[in-house]
Amino acid sequence: RKTCFRIPTGSKQWDGILNGGFQSRSINEVYGEFRCGKTQLAHTLCVMAQMPKDQGGAEGKVAYIDAEGTFRPERIIQIAERFGIDPETAVDNVTIARADNSEHQHELLTQLNENFATGEYRLLVIDSICALFRVDYMGRGELNARQQSLGLHLNRIGHMAEEFNITVFMTNQVQSDPGASALFAGADGRKPIGGHVLAHASTTRVLLRKGRGEERVAKIQDSPDCPEREATYIITTGGIND
Ligand code: ATP
Ligand code: MG
């Protein structure tokens, strides 16, 4: 599809295993344990999405659904400085929506539809996709209801990605239940939450883990067009880097 584009990560090595970055018209998911850089990557992508096309960017605005309260405009400023784009403009181009609960997270999509209809947006970030659903449907007996509601949410997000030619980037947490089904197990048995519903919705899934020292490792788990390769990256003041 000729109008598809990719948003680079800030790390050349990581872009390499993704054939250039996270693709538009699809849902991209990174999952992994705490502090492996999911939120830092989300911030880096906010800047990369705005970069000029001749520098690999998508020259577009960004919508950011913050479900964990960890968005920091100061990080956008620092990352913009690394890439030589105006920090104030960079912050202004990111529309932040703080989600209070899973229902609210879903309702935010209605507002974002209007934003996307302007044609100015190229990236939707959701950090993280499941956290609020996990809180709102806590009991064992609520699992079916949770999956149903998450499924509706993801379905709508998928349609928006397609209709508006947007890259959807979502973060996800891992479940470390050794008794759980090995079906979605990544390296070391780390398994993304969200079950089949999320597995079906995500076009490309990337597992993140801590490596040696400050190093982090990204491994592609499930992609229609990229093999299961690994890349190392680091987290810097200027965002994700090699
Ligand atoms: P969680 O599952 O808790 O949400 P996460 O995967 O989102 O974790 P991040 O918040 O993206 O993790 O990454 C945290 C890491 O980023 C920490 O190791 C921290 O040291 C590093 N970090 C944060 N800000 C900076 C910065 N300005 N410069 C360098 N490293 C930073
Ligand atoms: Mg985070």
Side-chain angles (χ1 to χ4, degrees):
R1 287 170 295 186
K2 60 180 192 299
T3 59
C4 274
F5 58 89
R6 289 173 187 272
I7 299 180
T9 61
S11 152
K12 290 270 174 283
Q13 229 196 101
W14 195 342
D15 292 345
I17 64 167
L18 282 173
N19 293 335
F22 291 106
Q23 198 169 21
S24 70
R25 291 210 160 109
S26 74
I27 296 181
N28 302 272
E29 174 194 352
V30 299
Y31 65 98
E33 62 180 318
F34 66 100
R35 296 184 76 201
C36 61
K38 302 181 294 294
T39 299
Q40 295 304 315
L41 175 61
H43 284 75
T44 307
L45 292 171
C46 286
V47 174
M48 303 314 285
Q50 301 183 41
M51 297 278 287
K53 285 180 184 162
D54 61 15
Q55 289 173 51
E59 286 178 20
K61 292 188 179 180
V62 180
Y64 194 114
I65 296 181
D66 184 9
E68 298 193 349
T70 50
F71 178 80
R72 296 287 179 277
E74 311 85 70
R75 298 291 296 124
I76 301 297
I77 291 170
Q78 291 171 323
I79 299 165
E81 281 166 353
R82 167 183 163 202
F83 289 99
I85 67 169
D86 179 56
E88 215 168 297
T89 311
V91 172
D92 287 347
N93 281 338
V94 183
T95 303
I96 302 298
R98 177 74 204 268
D100 300 323
N101 54 57
S102 60
E103 203 176 320
H104 182 221
Q105 184 172 318
H106 190 63
E107 282 165 9
L108 288 173
L109 299 180
T110 304
Q111 172 60 50
L112 291 182
N113 243 318
E114 286 176 31
N115 293 5
F116 294 166
T118 64
E120 298 172 332
Y121 287 74
R122 294 279 74 92
L123 173 67
L124 169 61
V125 172
I126 305 176
D127 185 23
S128 66
I129 184 65
C130 291
L132 296 173
F133 287 86
R134 229 180 177 182
V135 172
D136 293 346
Y137 302 89
M138 282 233 298
R140 259 248 171 254
E142 290 179 288
L143 195 59
N144 281 341
R146 183 189 89 182
Q147 290 304 91
Q148 197 172 352
S149 150
L150 180 63
L152 287 172
H153 187 54
L154 290 166
N155 193 36
R156 183 138 186 233
I157 291 166
H159 283 302
M160 289 166 75
E162 187 67 45
E163 179 178 358
F164 300 112
N165 190 20
I166 275 170
T167 292
V168 175
F169 170 83
M170 47 181 60
T171 69
N172 192 16
Q173 301 160 328
V174 280
Q175 185 179 311
S176 46
D177 174 5
S181 150
L183 197 55
F184 301 108
D188 307 335
R190 292 183 192 86
K191 178 176 170 291
I193 62 170
H196 285 91
V197 167
L198 190 51
H200 281 296
S202 293
T203 316
T204 296
R205 311 190 99 174
V206 184
L207 166 65
L208 309 187
R209 67 168 198 271
K210 287 169 187 142
R212 260 177 293 164
E214 291 303 301
E215 257 179 26
R216 304 282 196 272
V217 183
K219 185 182 185 191
I220 297 182
Q221 290 295 311
D222 182 12
S223 163
D225 54 1
C226 300
E228 290 200 354
R229 287 178 295 183
E230 281 189 358
T232 59
Y233 63 97
I234 54 168
I235 305 165
T236 70
T237 305
I240 300 296
N241 208 333
D242 285 296

